[in-house]
Amino acid sequence: QMLALLLTATFATAYAKPVDFAPNSCGKISLFLGDTVRDLTKHCGCKPGFRPTSSWNGCEEVNECHLGLDNCHPNATCTDTFGSFGCTCKSGLFGNGVECDLDECASPSLNNCHAEATCANTPGSFTCTCKAGFSGNGLSCTRVLSPVKLTASDGAASDEFGYSVSVSSYGSSGDAVAVVGAYLDQDRGFESGSAYVFRVAGNGTAVQTAKLTASDGAAGDYFGSSVSISSFSDSGDAVVVVGAYYDDARGVNSGSAYVFRVAADGTATQTAKMVAGDGVASDYFGNSVSVSSFGSNGDAVAVVGAYHDDARDSN
């Protein structure tokens, strides 16, 4: 009876308090018996991830995933391995499997970073950082332009290059277009005037792509005294309007304005000449000009000032 009691106590101890031995290194659970009982708890145990077999003569692997003994995150998949288990976050989440977080950077719809910002996922949130060449807080990024000086390729003394300027927004190509007036240039005669078109890259470098002159330009027109460029249309073009307020289309110094179509590469073509329907001498039509961006119907609107018009009184 004493021996039976000792065996029962030993088996209970082996199951309840496993020793850190290799699986099955001892074989059957054993007792050490000699002339006297030396050690009533001498036995083999099972490593974590294993348990005694039903017959208590060895160790068997435990499926922690099946038995719910894992510590995987609810949004992770548990995979049983020999003597252990692994946790893998489900698709769209990131982490070590014990902790899983939504990756807001996986889709633009999950974050509010600017188009020119980089999204970095963090536990429970995300950060936005403007890309190289842009500045801002990541939610709003503005292109940083390196200073560049524009000069006319054929510039000469007293051209008054830079008297008027206008620049477009960036087009789908990533470039912008700048227009610079030189109203005393002499291409079409003394002080006939001109305007220059430059393509401005994202890094701020600029290349002259065209020189604009009036198709019927003449001396003293002051073409280029005012300039304006629209944003780029869906077709990739922009519109430039150039004033020539000393043009004599409706009388001496009645004034006019010219319309040019500018492609994304900066090349330009004159498409129209505008004069006031009631224009007369000394109206100075074209002294100021402005052109809108393109509307949903594909058109733009141009406004031309005539500050010496006598509509309400002299000048």
Side-chain angles (χ1 to χ4, degrees), residues 70-296:
D70 63 275
N71 63 342
C72 295
H73 191 272
N75 287 322
T77 301
C78 181
T79 303
D80 187 57
T81 61
F82 186 71
S84 188
F85 61 93
C87 304
T88 306
C89 293
K90 295 180 181 179
S91 177
L93 303 176
F94 88 104
N96 58 9
V98 178
E99 296 292 338
C100 293
D101 181 51
L102 175 66
D103 186 357
E104 292 90 350
C105 298
S107 171
S109 63
L110 299 177
N111 65 77
N112 58 344
C113 294
H114 189 269
E116 297 299 340
T118 300
C119 180
N121 198 59
T122 60
S125 187
F126 60 94
T127 61
C128 305
T129 306
C130 294
K131 297 177 182 178
F134 293 82
S135 65
N137 59 7
L139 305 181
S140 175
C141 298
T142 304
R143 190 182 296 271
V144 178
L145 297 180
S146 301
V148 61
K149 183 176 182 179
L150 306 180
T151 57
S153 57
D154 60 350
S158 301
D159 278 352
E160 297 295 333
F161 176 89
Y163 183 81
S164 58
V165 295
S166 182
V167 62
S168 75
S169 58
Y170 283 89
S172 56
S173 66
D175 295 345
V177 173
V179 183
V180 183
Y183 79 108
L184 296 186
D185 188 16
Q186 303 185 32
D187 277 26
R188 297 284 186 176
F190 181 72
E191 297 182 353
S192 55
S194 65
Y196 296 79
V197 179
F198 296 83
R199 184 172 182 172
V200 183
N203 60 4
T205 58
V207 178
Q208 181 181 321
T209 58
K211 180 177 183 178
L212 310 180
T213 58
S215 58
D216 60 350
D221 278 353
Y222 287 7
F223 176 94
S225 54
S226 59
V227 297
S228 180
I229 185 171
S230 72
S231 61
F232 283 93
S233 67
D234 292 338
S235 64
D237 294 345
V239 170
V240 171
V241 178
V242 183
Y245 74 98
Y246 265 21
D247 184 23
D248 299 334
R250 295 286 187 180
V252 176
N253 299 340
S254 56
S256 64
Y258 296 79
V259 181
F260 295 81
R261 194 85 175 185
V262 180
D265 62 1
T267 57
T269 304
Q270 182 180 322
T271 58
K273 178 179 181 178
M274 298 184 291
V275 295
D278 59 352
V280 296
S282 299
D283 275 353
Y284 292 176
F285 178 90
N287 179 70
S288 59
V289 296
S290 183
V291 61
S292 72
S293 57
F294 286 89
S296 58

